[in-house]
Amino acid sequence: MKASIITIGDEILIGQIVDTNSGFIAKALDKIGIEVAEMRSISDNKQHILDTFSELQDDSDLVIVTGGLGPTKDDVTRNTFCEYFGDSLVSNAKVLEHVTKLIHNYTGNTNPLLQSNIDQALVPSKATVLFNQYGTAPGIWMKKGNTVFISLPGVPYEMKGLMEHEVIPRIVSEYRRPYIIHKTVMTYGMGESMIADRIADWENSLPAFIKLAYLPSPGRVRLRLSARGSDKNELESAIAENIKSLSGLISDVIVGFEEEETIEKMLGKWLTDKKLTVATAESCTGGKIAQTLTSVPGASAYFCGSVVAYQEAIKTDVLQVPTETINRFSVVSNEVAEAMALGVKRIMKTDYAIATTGNAGPGKDNTDKDVGTVCIALALPDGSVISNEFKFGQPREKVIDRAVNKSLEMLQKEILKFVE
Amino acid sequence: MKASIITIGDEILIGQIVDTNSGFIAKALDKIGIEVAEMRSISDNKQHILDTFSELQDDSDLVIVTGGLGPTKDDVTRNTFCEYFGDSLVSNAKVLEHVTKLIHNYTGNTNPLLQSNIDQALVPSKATVLFNQYGTAPGIWMKKGNTVFISLPGVPYEMKGLMEHEVIPRIVSEYRRPYIIHKTVMTYGMGESMIADRIADWENSLPAFIKLAYLPSPGRVRLRLSARGSDKNELESAIAENIKSLSGLISDVIVGFEEEETIEKMLGKWLTDKKLTVATAESCTGGKIAQTLTSVPGASAYFCGSVVAYQEAIKTDVLQVPTETINRFSVVSNEVAEAMALGVKRIMKTDYAIATTGNAGPGKDNTDKDVGTVCIALALPDGSVISNEFKFGQPREKVIDRAVNKSLEMLQKEILKFVE
């Protein structure tokens, strides 16, 4: 079963916003065994949309469209659906009631609705309406030939709600699909080509129904195995077998296995299980380690807090890094990072503490270190502290991202020791 | 002049990574007056790539392709270019020298290169090679008919470097392009449909060469005007005139005008100009306000630091929020937010301080407030503090994002008063 995803909106084509909807939809479809053959982003232009519908219909069982459903003039999807399906718009009573309730709640009064709000309840007469609990524009499900066309709002939270509550359950109940299993091996400390060289023979002997992909990102490479077929047990045992033989070849650089889990989620599970806590003291990462850790629901069980010590005075006054240490070793030094980690660990009474100090660039600021230099320290439950200086290059955003990743990896490595 | 952007990689089609490259490229092209007609993400499959090239060639003067240039087996772009252009690969001496240097730097030794690294210097014989200073895979520039095909690596930092240093300068010197001017009006506090209703007559009277787009995001709506034509002066005065008449209609909800600036950049400029400083005390936002402020280079001039007080003990011990205040008003209350703001302002000796406390969900945790409730306080230079309770709904990520946006808007509003 094949799907295509279309995103409608000029704001994407001029680069004003990044399309994150297609990725979310693709992941949700992949999970239920549907292959996404193509994604397209096109303009708010009726003819362009109609042409794209025709082009994709032949090769797709499913075409999911996001965007262009708002109440304003630049939103043309609904009318385009009518034209493509030879249909016309009718007002849906249930949607109108929901829109009225939402608007009255939002404005705090019960004034008559604007015409543009009333029009949000218009749907093609032949469409199956998908109820949008988080917003005013409903989803639409229509079939032409063997292809189902689905229209969803472009607002990410609304689109996600509709995918989860309406689209996926409906597909699962109406279509038979093959199994897809992914397994990802996370490695760090070795380049993509070095890994490829080491596992060349293994890679060449993979069965045809298993695909391998290399996914490099700052400081690490993920290897993703994907198996597709009709026999779930066969796929699972083939994946397990190949993961085992792969692990034997690169055990020195493997840090974990995940389906789709992030390092912060894995850390969260371990820390919660072991009832251990962590805090951060951040300079160049500016709170991004804290923010990454707290992106996981339930993080308050193990994440106590952070001191973002962006200016030198905060390092000395709040974290009590001795001025002498800064003067002697420079503000970007392992010694300062260690003092920051121990400082925040003491203040927040945690088991672990991560600290960063560095220069993310673009300027050299008041440090004597090269742009891209970051020192990371990790304070451990036994009172000791370890640290390392890294050269993360440039530009600024890469330096910050690599520092965040490396910090979490250092913590992961220590916790793995503790677990073993 | 029309462009299309193609992203190659199965990892995008299964939703494992979000394609941010296309947005970056689109923005860079838009700036120099090139319209992006379409973006496509397709698989690592040679035939699929060849078909897409043929389909896009007719309508595009420029086709920019990212991805599939790595050293591993799943990278097929280079060979596909050869097939499409009837060309063959040759080793480029300058690229090989650069690759050798990069690998030797990375490994810290001068061992002979792996074959896969040596192969990174292979390029189609007829291609113009675009030098990649940040990585091993060079960019490629080839022409078929009137269409230029450009291949860039998928690693964002490498792609960005090549766009900036090679692709854009080359296009600017070789092609005449029309002017595109965008101007964005930022509003907050009024819904999309309410604004549309208020400005309907104005919108209907816009000249044909000016397009209006509504860009809603949590808590705010941006209105983008885009003018396209050959006479720069005419476009500029038409935009200025229409912005002026628009401003008269919605002056009560306009918070700023930007070309492409973020609120954190604007705050940065103002704070730097006025030599004012800010700190944050964050609970439910987990450091994301600090991280947003420090995403701007030079933020250390005005951002002192943050205390992320995720657990209650940090609020009382570090920020010195009285336990009595928490017990009396609940940990999610304006009173606690105010005490947090005043606490961090005192500790970090700043002019302004932002504080957040709330429940981002999905669970109710140990608070008595609904999921999505966030209290935000802002401590001001005169020693006073203001606060507000918000209902940001769900899910978790939306609550956090809206709290970050709202916090920065509250600061912006106060600073605007100060400026006036």
Side-chain angles (χ1 to χ4, degrees):
Chain A
M1 197 173 173
K2 278 196 179 182
S4 299
I5 302 171
I6 303 174
T7 316
I8 294 176
D10 289 349
E11 64 276 22
I12 291 168
L13 294 177
I14 68 164
Q16 187 149 12
I17 64 168
V18 167
D19 167 33
T20 56
N21 285 349
S22 298
F24 180 89
I25 294 170
K27 197 178 222 167
L29 294 177
D30 180 73
K31 252 190 202 156
I32 59 167
I34 296 176
E35 185 187 345
V36 174
E38 195 160 334
M39 296 171 178
R40 297 194 188 184
S41 293
I42 59 175
S43 67
D44 295 319
N45 174 292
K46 198 186 251 192
Q47 195 54 50
H48 196 175
I49 302 173
L50 289 172
D51 292 345
T52 305
F53 281 7
S54 307
E55 279 172 46
L56 292 175
Q57 182 172 347
D58 291 342
D59 289 331
S60 312
D61 304 292
L62 205 62
V63 176
I64 300 189
V65 185
T66 65
L69 286 182
T72 55
K73 268 185 76 178
D74 60 337
D75 293 305
V76 301
T77 304
R78 232 183 307 241
N79 285 316
T80 309
F81 260 70
C82 281
E83 188 157 331
Y84 193 69
F85 286 90
D87 199 359
S88 56
L89 294 173
V90 295
S91 185
N92 181 291
K94 198 184 152 200
V95 175
L96 185 57
E97 190 189 318
H98 171 66
V99 170
T100 307
K101 214 173 109 188
L102 277 182
I103 303 277
H104 286 168
N105 272 347
Y106 182 76
T107 57
N109 63 45
T110 56
N111 295 345
L113 297 196
L114 297 173
Q115 189 59 42
S116 58
N117 292 136
I118 294 172
D119 290 348
Q120 286 289 79
L122 292 176
V123 294
S125 73
K126 300 172 195 156
T128 303
V129 175
L130 310 175
F131 182 69
N132 175 5
Q133 62 183 112
Y134 299 127
T136 55
I140 291 166
W141 170 295
M142 297 182 88
K143 199 162 182 176
K144 186 162 191 166
N146 287 316
T147 307
V148 171
F149 286 77
I150 298 168
S151 158
L152 301 175
V155 178
Y157 314 107
E158 300 181 20
M159 177 280 298
K160 287 180 189 177
L162 276 162
M163 280 298 293
E164 192 181 330
H165 301 300
E166 297 286 338
V167 177
I168 295 295
R170 207 171 283 264
I171 294 171
V172 166
S173 79
E174 296 191 13
Y175 294 94
R176 287 197 57 170
R177 293 145 289 109
Y179 292 102
I180 299 184
I181 298 177
H182 301 291
K183 186 89 186 175
T184 302
V185 179
M186 296 166 66
T187 73
Y188 85 102
M190 188 182 280
E192 189 183 0
S193 47
M194 196 71 85
I195 294 176
D197 188 61
R198 181 105 72 94
I199 66 174
D201 290 341
W202 172 87
E203 185 174 350
N204 288 326
S205 70
L206 281 175
F209 63 91
I210 297 187
K211 254 192 118 171
L212 173 71
Y214 293 79
L215 309 169
S217 57
R220 38 182 158 163
V221 177
R222 288 175 300 159
L223 303 173
R224 190 193 61 232
L225 276 78
S226 308
R228 171 188 295 271
S230 56
D231 184 337
K232 195 180 169 196
N233 291 335
E234 189 195 345
L235 298 183
E236 275 174 353
S237 69
I239 286 281
E241 203 176 284
N242 280 289
I243 287 282
K244 200 177 157 195
S245 48
L246 173 64
S247 303
L249 299 171
I250 50 168
S251 59
D252 51 330
V253 293
I254 291 181
V255 289
F257 304 91
E258 38 145 26
E259 300 296 327
E260 52 163 322
E261 284 206 308
T262 56
I263 192 167
E264 55 272 20
K265 274 195 189 159
M266 294 195 296
L267 285 171
K269 272 187 202 156
W270 285 327
L271 291 166
T272 308
D273 277 3
K274 301 286 167 192
K275 296 193 172 33
L276 293 168
T277 56
V278 64
T280 70
E282 309 188 37
S283 182
C284 63
T285 48
K288 192 158 189 179
I289 304 173
Q291 190 242 310
T292 305
L293 288 168
T294 59
S295 69
V296 180
S300 60
Y302 52 86
F303 178 71
C304 297
S306 172
V307 172
V308 180
Y310 214 61
Q311 292 184 340
E312 198 170 308
I314 312 302
K315 295 184 181 76
T316 53
D317 296 357
V318 181
L319 292 172
Q320 308 203 303
V321 176
T323 308
E324 195 201 303
T325 307
I326 295 178
N327 292 341
R328 190 165 157 205
F329 298 102
S330 141
V331 70
V332 178
S333 62
N334 284 335
E335 288 77 6
V336 169
E338 291 181 3
M340 289 170 67
L342 293 171
V344 79
K345 182 173 187 282
R346 194 172 51 237
I347 293 170
M348 305 215 172
K349 303 183 185 76
T350 55
D351 299 301
Y352 294 95
I354 299 169
T356 61
T357 177
N359 180 3
K364 267 202 127 180
D365 289 338
N366 58 346
T367 73
D368 56 349
K369 296 292 174 79
D370 290 339
V371 167
T373 305
V374 179
C375 296
I376 304 177
L378 181 63
L380 302 171
D382 65 4
S384 67
V385 59
I386 56 174
S387 62
N388 254 309
E389 183 177 307
F390 300 94
K391 306 280 185 193
F392 289 142
Q394 47 169 314
R396 182 179 178 85
E397 53 183 310
K398 171 175 161 188
V399 175
I400 295 172
D401 283 350
R402 290 193 67 168
V404 171
N405 286 347
K406 184 55 80 178
S407 301
L408 298 180
E409 276 164 12
M410 281 172 67
L411 177 58
Q412 184 184 38
K413 235 181 152 178
E414 282 305 315
I415 284 177
L416 281 173
K417 275 187 204 164
F418 185 90
V419 171
E420 283 158 6
Chain B
M1 197 173 170
K2 277 196 180 183
S4 300
I5 303 171
I6 304 174
T7 316
I8 295 176
D10 289 349
E11 65 275 21
I12 289 167
L13 293 176
I14 69 165
Q16 189 150 9
I17 63 168
V18 167
D19 166 34
T20 55
N21 285 347
S22 298
F24 180 89
I25 294 170
K27 198 177 221 168
L29 293 177
D30 180 73
K31 253 191 203 157
I32 58 167
I34 297 176
E35 184 187 346
V36 174
E38 194 160 335
M39 297 171 177
R40 297 194 188 185
S41 294
I42 59 175
S43 67
D44 295 320
N45 173 292
K46 197 186 252 189
Q47 195 54 51
H48 196 174
I49 301 173
L50 290 172
D51 292 345
T52 305
F53 280 8
S54 308
E55 280 172 45
L56 292 176
Q57 183 172 344
D58 291 341
D59 289 330
S60 311
D61 304 291
L62 205 61
V63 176
I64 300 189
V65 185
T66 65
L69 286 182
T72 56
K73 270 184 76 177
D74 61 336
D75 293 305
V76 300
T77 304
R78 232 182 307 241
N79 284 315
T80 309
F81 260 70
C82 281
E83 189 157 331
Y84 193 69
F85 286 90
D87 199 358
S88 56
L89 294 173
V90 295
S91 185
N92 180 292
K94 196 183 155 204
V95 174
L96 185 58
E97 190 188 319
H98 172 65
V99 170
T100 307
K101 214 172 109 189
L102 277 182
I103 303 277
H104 285 169
N105 273 348
Y106 182 75
T107 58
N109 63 44
T110 55
N111 294 345
L113 298 195
L114 297 172
Q115 189 58 43
S116 57
N117 292 135
I118 295 171
D119 290 348
Q120 286 290 79
L122 293 176
V123 293
S125 72
K126 300 172 195 156
T128 302
V129 175
L130 310 176
F131 182 68
N132 176 4
Q133 62 183 110
Y134 299 127
T136 55
I140 290 166
W141 170 295
M142 296 181 87
K143 199 162 182 178
K144 187 163 190 165
N146 287 318
T147 307
V148 171
F149 287 77
I150 298 167
S151 158
L152 301 175
V155 178
Y157 313 109
E158 300 181 19
M159 177 280 298
K160 287 180 189 176
L162 276 162
M163 280 298 294
E164 192 181 330
H165 300 300
E166 297 285 337
V167 177
I168 294 296
R170 206 170 283 264
I171 294 171
V172 166
S173 79
E174 295 192 13
Y175 294 94
R176 285 197 58 167
R177 293 144 289 110
Y179 293 102
I180 300 183
I181 298 178
H182 301 291
K183 185 90 184 174
T184 302
V185 178
M186 297 166 67
T187 73
Y188 85 104
M190 187 183 281
E192 188 183 359
S193 47
M194 196 71 85
I195 294 176
D197 188 62
R198 181 105 72 93
I199 66 175
D201 290 342
W202 172 86
E203 185 174 350
N204 288 327
S205 70
L206 280 175
F209 64 91
I210 297 187
K211 256 192 114 171
L212 172 72
Y214 294 78
L215 308 169
S217 58
R220 39 181 160 164
V221 177
R222 288 175 299 158
L223 303 173
R224 192 195 59 233
L225 276 77
S226 308
R228 172 188 295 273
S230 56
D231 184 337
K232 198 180 166 194
N233 290 336
E234 188 194 347
L235 299 184
E236 276 174 354
S237 69
I239 285 281
E241 202 176 286
N242 279 288
I243 288 281
K244 200 177 158 196
S245 49
L246 173 64
S247 303
L249 300 170
I250 51 169
S251 60
D252 51 331
V253 293
I254 291 182
V255 290
F257 303 92
E258 38 148 23
E259 298 297 328
E260 52 164 321
E261 283 206 309
T262 56
I263 191 167
E264 54 272 19
K265 274 194 190 162
M266 294 194 297
L267 285 172
K269 272 186 204 158
W270 285 327
L271 291 167
T272 307
D273 277 3
K274 301 283 168 194
K275 294 195 173 33
L276 293 168
T277 57
V278 63
T280 70
E282 309 188 38
S283 183
C284 63
T285 48
K288 193 159 187 177
I289 303 173
Q291 190 243 308
T292 305
L293 288 169
T294 59
S295 69
V296 181
S300 60
Y302 51 86
F303 178 70
C304 297
S306 172
V307 172
V308 180
Y310 215 61
Q311 292 185 339
E312 196 168 307
I314 313 303
K315 294 184 182 76
T316 53
D317 296 358
V318 182
L319 292 172
Q320 308 204 301
V321 176
T323 308
E324 195 201 303
T325 308
I326 295 178
N327 292 341
R328 191 166 157 204
F329 298 102
S330 142
V331 69
V332 178
S333 61
N334 284 335
E335 289 77 6
V336 168
E338 291 181 2
M340 289 170 67
L342 293 171
V344 79
K345 181 172 187 281
R346 193 171 53 238
I347 294 171
M348 304 212 173
K349 304 181 184 75
T350 54
D351 298 300
Y352 292 95
I354 299 169
T356 61
T357 177
N359 180 2
K364 265 200 127 177
D365 289 339
N366 57 346
T367 73
D368 56 348
K369 295 291 173 80
D370 290 340
V371 168
T373 305
V374 179
C375 296
I376 304 177
L378 181 62
L380 302 172
D382 65 4
S384 68
V385 59
I386 56 173
S387 62
N388 254 308
E389 184 176 307
F390 300 94
K391 305 281 186 193
F392 289 142
Q394 46 169 314
R396 182 180 179 83
E397 53 183 309
K398 170 176 159 186
V399 176
I400 295 172
D401 284 349
R402 290 192 66 169
V404 171
N405 286 346
K406 185 54 79 179
S407 302
L408 298 181
E409 276 163 11
M410 282 172 67
L411 177 58
Q412 185 184 36
K413 235 181 151 177
E414 282 304 316
I415 286 178
L416 281 174
K417 275 187 205 164
F418 185 89
V419 171
E420 284 158 4

